[in-house]
Amino acid sequence: MRDTFLPYNQPHLTDHEKDAIIRVLDSKWITRGPQCAAFESALSEKLAAPVVAVSSCTAALHLALLISNIGPGDEVITTPLTFAASVNVITHVGARPVLVDINPRTGNIDPEQVERAIGPKTRAILPVHYGGYPVDMKAINRLRDAYHLTVIEDAAHALDTYYEGRPIGSWGNLTAFSFYATKNLTTGEGGALVVPDAELVDQVRTYSLHGLSLNAWNRYSEKGSWHYDVDVPGYKYNMTDIEAALGLVQLQKLPLMQARRSEIARHYHHAFAELPVILPSEPSNGQHAWHLYALRVKAGALRGDRDDIIEGLTQRNIGTSVHFIPIHQHRYYRRTLGYQAGDFPYAEEFFHQEISLPLYPGMTDGDVNDVIAAVTETIHAWSR
Ligand SMILES: *Cc1c(COP(=O)(O)O)cnc(C)c1O
């Protein structure tokens, strides 16, 4: 057994990131400026669509709803198997989140259930690419076009997820990415919104910086002017140059980091193939970003449950996490949306079975083997 605790997640940070941040500090221009612009164009080149860098994925989702004019009286269809942020933002604009169940194989929203939930108040669909597995975007975009809806993709897990040969972010929808500390690319805190409609890009920028007239962000530079005008009561959602500098370095090494993630996932697949567990499925028409390795404990196959396995892994010095407590089980949403336990049986079962294993580029082969040994021992210890 390993004698030090293996954390569930750790960002991949090297001297390159340190140097980039120090250069920004030395320049004395530390908030939104040239690094943000460079990060936006690098990301926009990768995704072949315009991108606005913001302070978080949550901010990006909120801005997406705002510029789509979604508000009181409107409904937005989303998944219960997500982080609170995806649904909180719907509440922030005064709209009503409508949950529909997942496909139990992938953890993603089921387009057939989405279609059944579409009603006269439905304005948008907010799918989440769970763990980095691509949502069936053709089916979702078909519903978008048939019912004149907006699609806002929560791609917090899906930087470098591909679907039918194209990256998530290039499917013609408002798409929000997260660069939070645990995500596949990190800027500490940060996010980006892909805005496929060029006319809306300026609106997103304005909303993301107090609603100030464009380019007011450089009002302290020699090219700027002290003058600004407030177009709308906007938000303070801009990225900073310190974060963007970090992001540029991370973007350069993203292919290497992603290759290591899939390598680790392959090791896990191979090692766990004979255990009484459910392995995360792989898309046949795309590429998984392996943000999560969501192992699931089969109901009835063991003497214990998911929590017993997590306990066994903790005792063996392996950190884990669980994604996600379904939205309708949280107190606020129980109270306001009126859903009951049992309303989304697939999402509930997925949650009860799921364990997210350590999966990040900085893991050594020894770390990977330690996880494999600990999982194998623990599952055997609880086997019937
Ligand atoms: C991390 C996460 C978010 C929020 O991202 P932030 O950048 O922290 O705002 C939203 N949705 C999902 C599914 C996430 O995992």
Side-chain angles (χ1 to χ4, degrees), residues 239-360:
M239 185 176 265
T240 70
D241 263 22
I242 300 174
E243 291 163 338
L246 200 53
L248 276 164
V249 176
Q250 292 257 305
L251 198 54
Q252 264 172 10
K253 66 184 197 188
L254 186 67
L256 279 176
M257 294 199 291
Q258 290 299 105
R260 180 61 178 155
R261 282 181 183 274
S262 16
E263 190 174 47
I264 296 170
R266 269 201 311 277
H267 283 307
Y268 285 166
H269 275 347
H270 185 72
F272 304 146
E274 304 304 323
L275 294 180
V277 293
I278 304 169
L279 302 181
S281 44
E282 291 214 57
S284 57
N285 56 349
Q287 181 183 300
H288 203 301
W290 294 116
H291 173 59
L292 301 178
Y293 192 90
L295 190 75
R296 281 182 287 156
V297 171
K298 264 188 215 164
L302 302 174
R303 286 182 295 109
D305 58 14
R306 185 268 315 273
D307 293 346
D308 295 314
I309 305 302
I310 288 184
E311 177 61 29
L313 293 176
T314 310
Q315 281 167 8
R316 290 171 174 81
N317 266 334
I318 303 297
T320 54
S321 189
V322 171
H323 296 87
F324 290 98
I325 302 166
I327 293 297
H328 63 294
Q329 293 184 211
H330 291 290
R331 191 181 328 155
Y332 177 80
Y333 289 109
R334 270 205 321 264
R335 194 150 48 77
T336 56
L337 300 180
Y339 293 121
Q340 312 276 322
D343 281 349
F344 307 104
Y346 288 136
E348 291 168 32
E349 181 179 54
F350 197 106
F351 160 62
H352 285 298
Q353 296 177 336
E354 202 267 349
I355 305 172
S356 299
L357 296 181
L359 172 63
Y360 44 99

Side-chain angles (χ1 to χ4, degrees), residues 90-325:
I90 300 171
T91 309
H92 292 162
V93 298
R96 183 186 170 83
V98 172
L99 305 179
V100 302
D101 212 349
I102 58 163
N103 174 333
R105 194 177 61 80
T106 64
N108 284 338
I109 201 166
D110 175 356
E112 279 177 28
Q113 303 242 21
V114 173
E115 183 158 25
R116 259 176 265 148
I118 294 173
K121 294 180 180 170
T122 308
R123 292 286 316 283
I125 309 170
L126 197 156
V128 178
H129 303 275
Y130 176 88
Y133 188 105
V135 166
D136 183 353
M137 287 317 301
K138 283 193 174 159
I140 296 292
N141 282 356
R142 216 176 294 128
L143 297 176
R144 173 194 70 189
D145 299 337
Y147 296 94
H148 308 290
L149 304 174
T150 298
V151 172
I152 299 170
E153 296 173 47
D154 180 336
H157 301 178
L159 186 66
D160 227 39
T161 291
Y162 282 74
Y163 170 79
E164 303 269 344
R166 270 155 59 194
I168 293 308
S170 69
W171 283 86
N173 301 310
L174 291 161
T175 306
F177 289 98
S178 174
F179 310 127
Y180 178 65
T182 58
K183 302 290 156 74
N184 288 24
L185 179 156
T186 187
T187 59
E189 296 279 359
L193 184 64
V194 176
V195 189
D197 181 343
E199 276 176 31
L200 289 180
V201 173
D202 289 349
Q203 211 180 326
V204 173
R205 286 195 196 290
T206 302
Y207 265 109
S208 70
L209 196 65
H210 305 294
L212 302 191
S213 47
L214 278 184
N215 294 324
W217 61 266
N218 66 0
R219 64 194 184 281
Y220 305 117
S221 79
E222 73 254 37
K223 284 171 269 149
S225 152
W226 58 266
H227 186 267
Y228 59 84
D229 194 19
V230 174
D231 294 334
V232 286
Y235 295 82
K236 186 71 207 301
Y237 280 170
N238 61 282
M239 185 176 265
T240 70
D241 263 22
I242 300 174
E243 291 163 338
L246 200 53
L248 276 164
V249 176
Q250 292 257 305
L251 198 54
Q252 264 172 10
K253 66 184 197 188
L254 186 67
L256 279 176
M257 294 199 291
Q258 290 299 105
R260 180 61 178 155
R261 282 181 183 274
S262 16
E263 190 174 47
I264 296 170
R266 269 201 311 277
H267 283 307
Y268 285 166
H269 275 347
H270 185 72
F272 304 146
E274 304 304 323
L275 294 180
V277 293
I278 304 169
L279 302 181
S281 44
E282 291 214 57
S284 57
N285 56 349
Q287 181 183 300
H288 203 301
W290 294 116
H291 173 59
L292 301 178
Y293 192 90
L295 190 75
R296 281 182 287 156
V297 171
K298 264 188 215 164
L302 302 174
R303 286 182 295 109
D305 58 14
R306 185 268 315 273
D307 293 346
D308 295 314
I309 305 302
I310 288 184
E311 177 61 29
L313 293 176
T314 310
Q315 281 167 8
R316 290 171 174 81
N317 266 334
I318 303 297
T320 54
S321 189
V322 171
H323 296 87
F324 290 98
I325 302 166

